[in-house]
Amino acid sequence: MDADWNGAITRARAHAPFLARALELRQDLAELLAAGEGEAALVLAKRSGGQVQSKAIALRRERLGLALVLAIGDLAGVFPLARVMEELSEFADRALDQAIAAAISKRVSDVDPAGMIGLALGKHGAGELNYSSDIDPILLYDPETLPRRERDEPGEAAQRYARDIVEMLSQNTPEGYVFRVDLRLRPASEVSPLAISLDAAMSHYESSALAWERAAFIRARAASGDIEQGQRFLETIAPFVWRRSLDFGAIEDIRRLTKRIRANQSGPQDVAPGWNLKTGRGGIREVEFFAQTHQLIHGGRAPALRVRGTRAALDALAAAGHVSGDDAHALGEAYDRLRTVEHRLQMVADQQTHSLPGGDALENVARLDGLSGAGALLDELRSVQAEVATRFDALIDDDDPKGQSATQAGGIAAQCEALGYAEPERVARRIEQWRDGRFRSLRSEAALSAFDAMLPNLLESFADADEPEQALLRWESVLGNVSSAINLFRLLEARPALFDQLVHILSLAPLLADELSRRPELLDTLIDKSAFDLPGSAENLAGKMRGGDLRNDYEAQLDRIRIVTGETRFALGVQLIEAAHDPLEIAGALSRTAEAALQVASEAAEEEFAKQHGRIAGSEPVVLGLGRLGGGELTHASDLDIIHLFSGSHDEESDGPRPLGATLYFNRLAQRVGAALSVPTAQGALYEVDTRLRPQGAQGPLAVSFDSFEKYQREDAWTWEHMALTRARVLVGSQQSRDRLEGFIAEILGQDRDSSQLKADVLKMRGEMASHKAPGGTLDAKLRRGGLVDLEFLVHFLQLRDKVGLSNDLDAALAALADAGLVDQDLAEANRLLTRVLISCRLLAPELEIPSPAAGRVLASACKLESAAQLVEEFDAARQCVARNWHRTFDEELETGT
C-alpha cells in the first residue's frame, strides 16, 4: 500500500472528531505529517512534554501527540499494525514507570524507585496494546527494599503509592488522561489491596491461582519500576505458568475456560451492528485463546512456545506442528484485520469501544478505513469471522458426555425452565459462572463433582421458594465465602434434613441468610442433634464465651464472644423458622445470650482498662437492662437498651499507672464496654447499644453514680422514665449492688402518684409517639394501634397507678393485673400472640407485610397457627383486645384500622 499522508489526514478530519481536534491542537505535528515526515513527527510527539515540570501533564501531552501520529501513520499505510501496537505498549511502559517514580518521590525524595514493580499483562504485556486501551498491570512491592518514610509500614506505603499511580495515569483532566488503569488482574482482587507483596503474590500463584491466571501470565512482562526484581519474580513463578505435565484437572480447567468465552458472549452472534470485535463469536479473543490454550498445554515441555505476541505464538505453534500452517496463517491474518478495525472504531472518539455501531456511525468507520461504505466492511468482517469461528469451534468441540449434563448452561437452563424459573437462561448462565474458578470452594474436580451431584436437588428446592433467584444469589454468597465445599456438598447430599434447613434459611430468612453468607461455618452448628436444643442459662452461655485462658488477649476475648453469640443466635433463628420452639422461648434464649455477652464483654473491658488505670476501691460498674432486654424478650433485630451506673463515691480515684477520677473512670469504661459489644472485629459486629434511657438522655454523662441516679429519679425524671423502670433488670454487678438498685427501683415504682396527671402524661406521650413513628407495615406488631406499644403503655400506666404487677416480665405483670380485675383475662394471650408475630417477623417478614405463600406458611407455623389467613385474623383480634382494654382504662377509642 503506497503512503497517502494527505488522504489519511483528510479522512481523519472528515470521520474522526478526536483526530480532527488533535490536528488543530498540534499544528506542528500536522505540518510534519502533511509533509510525509512520519518518523520525525513520532520523535517530536515523544518529546511533547519535555518542557513541562508536571509529569502528569507531560504524559498527557505525549499521549495526545502519539495518538495523532500513530493514527495518521496507520491510516496512511506507513505504520503497520505491529508498529502501532509496539509504540503504544512502549509508551505505556514509560508512563507506568514515571508514575511509579513520581508516586515514590512525592513522599521520599532522592531515591531510586526500587521495590515497586509494574507487571504488564494482557495486550500491554504482549506489546499489542490497542488504540484506546486500558492497561491491566499488577503492582507488586518488596517490603525490604521499598522506599518509604520511617513511620510508614511497607504495606501502607505501597497502597498509597498504588493509589497515586492510578490517579496520575487515569484521572481525566483538561489535558485528558494517560491510560485507564484496571488492577483487577491482581491476585484475589475482590479482597486484596491494590499493591501485593512479592511473598503474598508468590504464595497465591503457587497454591490457589486459577486457569485464567495461568493464561494471563503467558503474556506477563516486567515493564516498569524495579524491572530486575519483576523479572526474577516471573522466573520464579514460571513453573506455575509452564507446567511440564498437565494433570487431567488442569486440562479440564483450560477447556472450561475456552468454552466460557462462548457461553458468556452477548450481542449478535454474527457480524452486524452490535457485534463485538473483541468478545463476539469469531472475534479477537477467540484468536488469542486459540493460541494461548495450545501454549498452556504444550509450552511446559517446549520453551520455544513461550512467546507473548499472538501472531508469534501462532507461528511458533505451527513450526512445532501443534497447529497447521494454514490455521496459523488464517488466524494471524484475521487477527491483524480485526485489530485494525478495532483501532478504527477507537480513533473516532478516543473511546474504548469494540462493538460495531449502526447506521451512519458504521458508514463513518468504513470511510475512515478507506472502504466504499458499511456494506464492504461488513462483508469483509463476515469472511474474517468465519475463518476464526470455524477453528475455535474445532478447539472446544469434544465428545465429553458431561457436555450434555446439567452442569452445562444449556442443561441447567432446561431444568430451570421445567421447574418454572422466570428467566431460566439467565439463571443458567449465572450458575455456570460459579464453575469458572472464581470461587475457591469449586476449584477442584472433586468439589465440582460433589456440587454437580447436589445441584438438581438445589434447583428443585429453590424453585419452590417465593423468590428462587434471590435464594440462589444468597447461595452464591455462601459459595464465595466457604473455603472448602466438598464436605459441605457431600454432607448436604447425605443429610436431607440439613439440606432442607439450608434451603429454608436461604429462601425464607434474609437476616439468617446474610449471616450465613458471611460465616458459612455456621452450618456446622446445625449438624449435631443438640442444634435444636434451647441454650442454657446466661451463666452457662457466659462460660462458653470465656472459653479457656484468653485473659491476656483482649481481641481474642471479643472474637470469642462474637463467635459463641453468632452461633447461638443463628441456631435460634433456624429453630424459629423450623417451628422447633415457641417464639417466646426463642426470645428468652436471645435475651440470655445477650446478657451473657454483656457480662463477659464487661469483664474483659474492665480487665483491659485496669491495666492502664487500675481500679477504684469500693466502687464497681453496674449495667441496668431495660426494654425488651430487661423484660427478657429480645428479637433477632433488637438493640440493647442499657444504663451504665457505678457504686461508691464519685470523689474517688483509681489506683493504676494513669489514675482517673471516678466519674471519668467509669464513663471511659462504659465507652469501652459499648465498643466491645458494637465495634466489628475479625468476627464481625455484635449488638447495637442504645444508652439514651440514661439520666438526661444523650445530654447526660454515659455513666452516673448510684447516688446521682437515685437523686435524678426522685427529683427530675419524667413519667416515661419511670415507665421504663418497670422493665429494668440488673445485668452486670455484684449481689450487693443488685439488691440496692432493685430496692430503690421498687421504691420509685411504688411511690404515690396523681392518677389524673399520670394519665395525661401517658396519653400525651403515646400521641406524640404515634405522630412521629408510623407503623412499618401491615404486620407491625409493635407500632400499629392496638399493638405492643399500646399494650405496654397500658400495662405501665396501671403498674404505676395501682402498684400492681410490678414485674419486668410483661406476662407476669398481665397475670397480676388480670387477677386484680384491672384488665381482661385474654389480654395476656393477646400479648403472647403479638410478641410471637414481632419475633417471627424479624426473620420471616422484615418488611412487616404479609409475606408470600411459602414464607407466610412458615410464619404462621412459627406463631403456632395453621395458615397466614388465620395469622392475620388472630393478629387483628389481638389488637382489638388491646383496644378494648385501652378504652376501658383511658376512656379513649383506639383506631386499629381493622
Side-chain angles (χ1 to χ4, degrees):
M1 181 177 178
D2 295 332
D4 183 10
W5 291 100
N6 288 317
I9 292 171
T10 299
R11 299 204 312 275
R13 291 189 191 277
H15 303 294
F18 168 70
L19 295 180
R21 178 174 172 274
L23 286 164
E24 294 303 319
L25 289 172
R26 295 301 305 269
Q27 293 285 341
D28 53 344
L29 295 177
E31 291 172 5
L32 287 172
L33 292 169
E37 298 290 340
E39 294 296 339
L42 195 57
V43 171
L44 182 59
K46 292 178 182 178
R47 295 174 180 168
S48 296
Q51 305 304 314
V52 182
Q53 274 196 320
S54 167
K55 286 290 184 187
I57 294 175
L59 287 171
R60 281 159 175 78
R61 292 184 180 176
E62 182 179 352
R63 192 255 178 191
L64 179 65
L66 278 173
L68 174 60
V69 173
L70 292 173
I72 300 301
D74 181 359
L75 293 172
V78 176
F79 294 159
L81 175 68
R83 174 76 183 278
V84 173
M85 296 189 300
E86 180 184 22
E87 292 286 355
L88 290 170
S89 301
E90 288 178 357
F91 172 58
D93 292 353
R94 296 195 300 277
L96 182 57
D97 190 72
Q98 291 179 38
I100 291 172
I104 293 174
S105 64
K106 181 177 171 183
R107 289 185 66 82
V108 187
S109 57
D110 301 322
V111 296
D112 293 328
M116 194 77 182
I117 302 156
L119 297 182
L121 279 83
K123 290 181 172 63
H124 180 195
E128 296 174 339
L129 213 55
N130 62 44
Y131 194 74
S132 295
S133 181
D134 293 354
I135 56 173
D136 306 281
I138 292 178
L139 298 177
L140 304 176
Y141 69 93
D142 178 4
E144 300 299 322
T145 60
L146 183 70
R148 64 186 191 279
R149 295 179 182 179
E150 262 187 50
R151 64 176 179 271
D152 291 345
E153 291 294 325
E156 295 172 356
Q159 304 325 309
R160 185 178 291 110
Y161 298 155
R163 288 192 296 270
D164 287 347
I165 290 163
V166 172
E167 181 179 0
M168 180 177 174
L169 295 178
S170 60
Q171 187 177 39
N172 213 334
T173 73
E175 297 274 353
Y177 66 98
V178 188
F179 287 100
R180 291 170 292 263
V181 181
D182 187 342
L183 297 177
R184 286 177 297 177
L185 291 183
R186 70 188 188 276
S189 62
E190 67 280 1
V191 295
S192 65
L194 298 180
I196 313 291
S197 73
L198 286 170
D199 285 346
M202 201 83 69
S203 174
H204 173 80
Y205 293 120
E206 287 176 349
S207 63
S208 56
L210 307 176
W212 69 262
E213 291 177 289
R214 294 187 57 220
F217 267 84
I218 288 177
R219 301 190 287 181
R221 179 169 56 84
S224 308
D226 194 335
I227 291 177
E228 186 176 340
Q229 279 229 63
Q231 288 172 336
R232 287 200 296 270
F233 172 79
L234 290 176
E235 289 167 5
T236 303
I237 67 165
F240 149 72
V241 181
W242 305 110
R243 297 178 183 172
R244 289 188 60 80
S245 59
L246 283 181
D247 58 28
F248 176 75
I251 295 172
E252 283 296 303
D253 284 345
I254 294 168
R255 183 169 44 175
R256 275 196 298 270
L257 198 59
T258 56
K259 286 183 176 181
R260 199 173 77 249
I261 295 175
R262 282 282 174 80
N264 291 343
Q265 285 170 8
S266 59
Q269 291 293 300
D270 297 317
V271 174
W275 182 69
N276 193 301
L277 287 157
K278 179 179 178 180
T279 61
R281 181 176 182 271
I284 293 166
R285 185 169 284 175
E286 292 194 355
V287 180
E288 293 172 339
F289 254 71
F290 183 95
Q292 290 165 21
T293 298
H294 285 93
Q295 284 180 285
L296 284 174
I297 293 172
H298 304 292
R301 292 179 174 273
L305 301 180
R306 302 174 192 178
V307 292
R308 297 189 185 95
T310 302
R311 291 217 64 167
L314 290 168
D315 292 342
L317 289 164
H322 297 301
V323 303
S324 72
D326 287 345
D327 284 351
H329 178 75
L331 289 172
E333 292 296 307
Y335 181 76
D336 283 357
R337 183 56 182 148
L338 290 167
R339 292 299 309 275
T340 298
V341 176
E342 177 187 49
H343 283 195
R344 300 291 183 266
L345 288 174
Q346 296 173 352
M347 287 174 187
V348 173
D350 189 27
Q351 293 180 347
Q352 193 194 20
T353 181
H354 307 281
S355 296
L356 295 178
D360 292 342
L362 183 60
E363 188 76 21
N364 186 68
V365 171
R367 299 284 184 182
L368 178 65
D369 191 51
L371 296 174
S372 59
L377 178 60
L378 292 175
D379 287 343
E380 183 180 0
L381 289 176
R382 288 184 184 111
S383 175
V384 170
Q385 182 197 43
E387 295 284 356
V388 176
T390 301
R391 290 167 172 83
F392 193 75
D393 287 341
L395 174 68
I396 63 175
D397 185 33
D398 60 71
D399 297 324
D400 180 10
K402 288 191 295 182
Q404 303 302 317
S405 75
T407 66
Q408 300 301 319
I412 296 172
Q415 185 181 3
C416 289
E417 185 173 14
L419 290 169
Y421 281 83
E423 297 183 75
E425 291 185 1
R426 189 164 70 85
V427 171
R429 284 195 301 272
R430 184 119 198 174
I431 292 172
E432 189 60 25
Q433 287 172 359
W434 298 347
R435 303 167 51 82
D436 66 7
R438 69 186 62 192
F439 297 141
R440 182 179 302 176
S441 57
L442 287 176
R443 289 179 185 172
S444 71
E445 283 300 309
L448 285 168
S449 177
F451 173 72
D452 290 343
M454 65 167 284
L455 181 58
N457 288 338
L458 191 74
L459 291 174
E460 186 174 352
S461 296
F462 284 153
D464 293 332
D466 296 321
E467 296 180 329
E469 291 191 32
Q470 189 62 43
L472 281 169
L473 289 177
R474 292 171 184 146
W475 169 247
E476 182 178 282
S477 296
V478 174
L479 286 179
N481 286 314
V482 67
S483 58
S484 175
I486 299 175
N487 291 336
L488 170 62
F489 298 155
R490 288 176 177 161
L491 179 66
L492 292 173
E493 190 178 8
R495 294 275 298 276
L498 182 61
F499 183 91
D500 290 343
Q501 289 160 21
L502 173 64
V503 170
H504 282 166
I505 292 167
L506 297 176
S507 59
L508 298 172
L511 190 149
L512 294 183
D514 290 344
E515 188 63 26
L516 183 62
S517 70
R518 287 190 293 270
R519 296 182 57 201
E521 66 273 14
L522 286 171
L523 273 180
D524 294 346
T525 65
L526 304 180
I527 294 173
D528 196 289
K529 290 182 179 179
S530 64
F532 282 85
D533 294 340
L534 289 168
S537 65
E539 290 74 20
N540 288 339
L541 284 163
K544 292 181 181 178
M545 292 177 192
R546 293 185 184 99
D549 187 17
L550 299 174
R551 294 179 66 84
N552 295 321
D553 190 337
Y554 184 57
E555 292 299 326
Q557 285 180 304
L558 299 189
D559 281 344
R560 177 69 182 173
I561 295 169
R562 282 156 173 76
I563 290 169
V564 174
T565 301
E567 290 176 350
T568 307
R569 282 161 55 94
F570 181 78
L572 288 168
V574 176
Q575 291 173 24
L576 190 146
I577 65 176
E578 297 291 338
H581 298 286
D582 191 316
L584 301 177
E585 295 178 304
I586 300 291
L590 287 169
S591 299
R592 294 195 298 278
T593 305
E595 183 178 347
L598 179 59
Q599 289 172 357
V600 179
S602 297
E603 292 169 8
E606 187 177 3
E607 190 72 28
E608 185 72 6
F609 194 71
K611 291 178 183 177
Q612 286 188 322
H613 303 293
R615 300 180 188 275
I616 298 178
S619 295
E620 67 167 333
V622 176
V623 180
L624 195 63
L626 297 101
R628 305 199 72 79
L629 175 62
E633 291 182 335
L634 285 185
T635 74
H636 274 84
S638 293
D639 296 345
L640 303 187
D641 292 309
I642 59 176
I643 295 176
H644 291 279
L645 304 170
F646 61 91
S647 62
S649 170
H650 63 267
D651 294 327
E652 298 296 328
E653 188 176 80
S654 66
D655 59 6
R658 296 169 59 187
L660 297 172
T663 299
L664 183 58
Y665 180 95
F666 286 109
N667 270 271
R668 287 194 181 175
L669 177 57
Q671 290 174 335
R672 185 71 67 94
V673 172
L677 288 166
S678 59
V679 171
T681 71
Q683 294 296 329
L686 198 56
Y687 291 103
E688 291 293 328
V689 176
D690 189 340
T691 58
R692 289 174 295 177
L693 292 175
R694 67 187 187 267
Q696 300 176 35
Q699 305 304 314
L702 192 57
V704 298
S705 69
F706 280 12
D707 290 342
S708 296
F709 178 71
E710 291 172 3
K711 183 175 186 296
Y712 176 83
Q713 293 293 340
R714 285 195 181 96
E715 300 176 5
D716 300 313
W718 295 71
T719 298
W720 66 265
E721 292 177 287
H722 286 176
M723 291 170 65
L725 283 184
T726 61
R727 305 201 80 184
R729 184 163 59 101
V730 180
L731 302 176
V732 175
S734 65
Q735 191 60 49
Q736 182 180 357
S737 291
R738 289 170 187 260
D739 291 343
R740 174 175 170 177
L741 269 178
E742 288 169 359
F744 169 70
I745 290 171
E747 175 191 328
I748 289 293
L749 298 181
Q751 68 186 18
D752 291 332
R753 301 173 191 272
D754 182 329
S755 59
S756 297
Q757 185 60 49
L758 178 64
K759 176 180 176 181
D761 288 346
V762 170
L763 292 178
K764 180 182 177 184
M765 284 186 292
R766 183 61 186 108
E768 289 177 351
M769 186 175 182
S771 65
H772 288 95
K773 297 186 73 173
T778 306
L779 290 178
D780 192 338
K782 182 177 178 180
L783 292 176
R784 284 197 73 184
R785 296 317 300 257
L788 287 167
V789 169
D790 286 325
L791 188 149
E792 290 167 11
F793 267 67
L794 169 63
V795 169
H796 299 332
F797 168 74
L798 293 173
Q799 287 174 311
L800 295 178
R801 188 191 71 179
D802 297 285
K803 306 176 191 64
V804 172
L806 289 170
S807 168
N808 53 36
D809 181 336
L810 204 58
D811 207 46
L814 282 165
L817 291 169
D819 288 345
L822 295 171
V823 298
D824 295 342
Q825 291 288 342
D826 58 356
L827 188 59
E829 186 53 43
N831 172 60
R832 285 191 283 272
L833 187 280
L834 290 169
T835 304
R836 289 187 184 110
V837 172
L838 175 75
I839 295 161
S840 303
C841 280
R842 289 294 185 259
L843 289 184
L844 295 164
E847 301 300 320
L848 301 179
E849 293 295 348
I850 299 168
S852 46
R857 288 190 295 272
V858 175
L859 178 62
S861 177
C863 293
K864 309 302 177 186
L865 298 170
E866 295 296 324
S867 67
Q870 186 187 10
L871 171 65
V872 173
E873 183 180 332
E874 295 289 341
F875 177 69
D876 288 339
R879 291 170 51 235
Q880 291 293 333
C881 178
V882 174
R884 286 194 302 274
N885 282 271
W886 183 277
H887 182 265
R888 169 183 170 180
T889 302
F890 295 116
D891 194 26
E892 177 185 271
E893 296 288 347
L894 273 188
E895 182 55 55
T896 59
T898 57

